[in-house]
Amino acid sequence: MDEVAAFAQLPFKEVDIAIPEVFVGGLLGSMLIFLFSGWACSAVGRTAQEVVTEVRRQFIERPGIMDYKEKPDYGRCVAIVASASLREMIKPGALAILSPMAVGIIFRILGHATGQPLLGAKVVASMLMFATVTGILMALFLNTSGGAWDNAKKYIETGALGGKGSEAHKAAITGDTVGDPFKDTAGPSIHVLIKMLATITLVMAPIFL
């Protein structure tokens, strides 16, 4: 807000969410977090399916793997995961970069048309504030719940609640399958998303005026 005020030579002391356009910007900021998280979890699912397909192929083509007579091609699985990690982050990364720019430019045009010179900056500031608050809570939820599911599975594997092979263990594996992308992908990525949104907003502030 200080940077925008200095650059625009206009006072910018508050972000009033009672203004409908500013409130819409906040809603978009909160929605951004959920969309990003969904895309991150979906990316893990797609990549895991590629690995499953590759492992099945190796089991069929190299039956000796099952009784340790042949070594699996570990490199192929590593290559799948490495390439997918880059490919699958293009869309979420573009969302983080383009969404504040698009919102700022659209509301800047609307602001000039309605006699509100700083509307674009106010809407983007609201978007950043809401995204930060929602992102912190969402990251805490994803990290904590994912870790809880993982720990539940490990606890059962120590022999509790029937141990390995029990119905509780099967349920815990299902939970951990969801928990891994929560705690290892979506949760940590939101911290990066918040930082990126703040950086993009600050760097691109002049185009919102």
Side-chain angles (χ1 to χ4, degrees):
M1 290 166 67
D2 291 339
E3 290 289 332
V4 168
F7 192 84
Q9 297 298 307
L10 291 169
F12 187 14
K13 298 293 184 184
E14 61 184 20
V15 177
D16 186 0
I17 62 170
I19 299 170
E21 295 91 343
V22 178
F23 184 72
V24 168
L27 279 177
L28 292 172
S30 294
M31 291 163 59
L32 175 69
I33 299 297
F34 288 93
L35 180 59
F36 181 91
S37 301
W39 281 357
C41 289
S42 295
V44 174
R46 283 191 296 271
T47 305
Q49 191 57 53
E50 287 183 39
V51 174
V52 168
T53 302
E54 172 61 22
V55 170
R56 284 174 178 165
R57 182 191 67 78
Q58 290 195 29
F59 281 160
I60 292 168
E61 294 181 3
R62 302 182 183 185
I65 292 173
M66 294 300 288
D67 50 15
Y68 305 101
K69 290 179 181 176
E70 289 184 83
K71 276 196 171 184
D73 183 3
Y74 300 112
R76 179 66 191 135
C77 290
V78 172
I80 288 172
V81 174
S83 62
S85 66
L86 299 173
R87 183 182 70 248
E88 294 287 355
M89 279 295 108
I90 292 173
K91 192 165 68 168
L95 178 72
I97 294 169
L98 298 177
S99 54
M101 293 171 60
V103 168
I105 292 170
I106 290 168
F107 282 96
R108 181 198 71 183
I109 295 168
L110 181 62
H112 286 304
T114 56
Q116 303 175 77
L118 286 181
L119 184 64
K122 289 177 180 177
V123 171
V124 174
S126 175
M127 182 182 187
L128 179 60
M129 290 174 181
F130 275 68
T132 301
V133 171
T134 306
I136 290 170
L137 295 174
M138 189 70 164
L140 285 170
F141 161 68
L142 293 172
N143 290 332
T144 306
S145 60
W149 268 322
D150 188 41
N151 290 338
K153 187 194 72 170
K154 289 174 180 173
Y155 175 64
I156 291 170
E157 286 175 349
T158 63
L161 302 174
K164 289 185 179 181
S166 65
E167 289 301 313
H169 187 235
K170 293 174 186 176
I173 289 172
T174 302
D176 188 44
T177 302
V178 182
D180 277 337
F182 272 31
K183 69 181 175 62
D184 295 331
T185 305
S189 295
I190 290 175
H191 296 287
V192 181
L193 173 64
I194 293 170
K195 192 74 172 176
M196 183 178 287
L197 285 172
T199 304
I200 294 294
T201 301
L202 185 61
V203 171
M204 295 296 175
I207 71 172
F208 307 145
L209 305 175

